[in-house]
Amino acid sequence: VGAGFIGVEWITELEHFFKKLKLTIIDALPQCLGPLPAKAATYCSNYMKRHGIKEHYNMKYNAKDPNFYASVGLPNGPDKEYVCIGVKASNYFMPTETTSEKGPGG
């Protein structure tokens, strides 16, 4: 779940190393890699299609809804799911003197 940088990298790595897996990627946005230019998203989407990864966009993840998995072609639910949404860089473990309040140039 989640077709941003992390989700796309993870699902394509899984496909590369485990060819027999049946994979599906889901995202609430209308395309994968939301912040990238449309050409990059199209390239990535085409790659996933060529490698048999099923894509579902404009779908809000809702594992508690009994109809959700059926709507993405998984009527019995997934064998395993990885939720890669809301992922962001974390620096809480860094010493205070190595961080800034406002980021680069701040």
Side-chain angles (χ1 to χ4, degrees):
V1 179
F5 297 116
I6 303 297
V8 168
E9 179 181 19
W10 181 238
I11 204 164
T12 55
E13 289 287 329
L14 286 170
E15 185 282 326
H16 179 78
F17 289 104
F18 305 99
K19 298 290 186 190
K20 293 183 181 181
L21 290 179
K22 293 179 181 167
L23 300 166
T24 301
I25 195 164
I26 303 161
D27 202 282
L29 294 177
Q31 66 183 25
C32 63
L33 302 175
L36 289 183
K39 283 177 80 171
T42 299
Y43 173 86
C44 188
S45 183
N46 288 339
Y47 176 91
M48 289 191 287
K49 283 183 182 109
R50 281 194 316 273
H51 288 83
I53 298 169
K54 294 179 183 168
E55 301 169 87
H56 296 276
Y57 300 114
N58 291 312
M59 302 210 61
K60 184 174 165 94
Y61 174 66
N62 187 358
K64 294 179 182 179
D65 177 354
N67 299 313
F68 172 73
Y69 287 115
S71 73
V72 295
L74 301 167
N76 299 319
D79 291 330
K80 182 72 176 167
E81 68 180 6
Y82 298 95
V83 179
C84 300
I85 55 179
V87 178
K88 64 179 182 178
S90 298
N91 67 353
Y92 63 87
F93 59 90
M94 298 293 290
T96 312
E97 63 272 11
T98 65
T99 64
S100 69
E101 277 186 39
K102 298 184 173 97

